[in-house]
Amino acid sequence: MAEIKAAKLISYIKIDFSTEAELELYVTMFEKEGESFWTQLKAIGLLRWRINRVWTKRGGFELSQIFEYKDETAYLKG
């Protein structure tokens, strides 16, 4: 069974886009570059990273990203 490491520091980012096309372009970029991005941050102490679409009542175009780091040093390096 895999060991689950507890994050000591969590960073949450919400990104607003003017159009759905801009949001989709951002998502496409991370689909292409995400593995490299993850590998670089994991090497310095990132434990988990998630991108989520935020559905709003007013129909905005938003994403959130959650970064979970092993400690403050990892966060500062990231």
Side-chain angles (χ1 to χ4, degrees):
M1 188 163 165
E3 177 186 352
I4 298 175
K5 297 179 181 179
K8 301 266 193 256
L9 196 139
I10 298 173
S11 174
Y12 176 84
I13 300 169
K14 187 172 84 52
I15 307 167
D16 296 312
F17 297 91
S18 299
T19 66
E20 188 168 15
E22 289 176 353
L23 181 145
E24 293 298 331
L25 183 62
Y26 188 83
V27 169
T28 299
M29 182 211 39
F30 268 106
E31 287 174 344
K32 291 179 183 176
E33 304 297 330
E35 188 171 340
S36 173
F37 181 75
W38 162 251
T39 301
Q40 291 174 15
L41 289 178
K42 185 177 178 184
I44 60 159
L46 184 68
L47 301 175
R48 283 177 286 284
W49 166 52
R50 297 289 178 262
I51 296 179
N52 300 295
R53 172 96 188 242
V54 178
W55 299 96
T56 64
K57 287 184 178 182
R58 61 177 174 36
F61 307 104
E62 301 175 5
L63 291 176
S64 69
Q65 292 189 51
I66 299 172
F67 299 86
E68 297 181 34
Y69 296 93
K70 70 177 183 178
D71 56 27
E72 184 178 350
T73 302
Y75 169 76
L76 293 173
K77 286 182 180 180

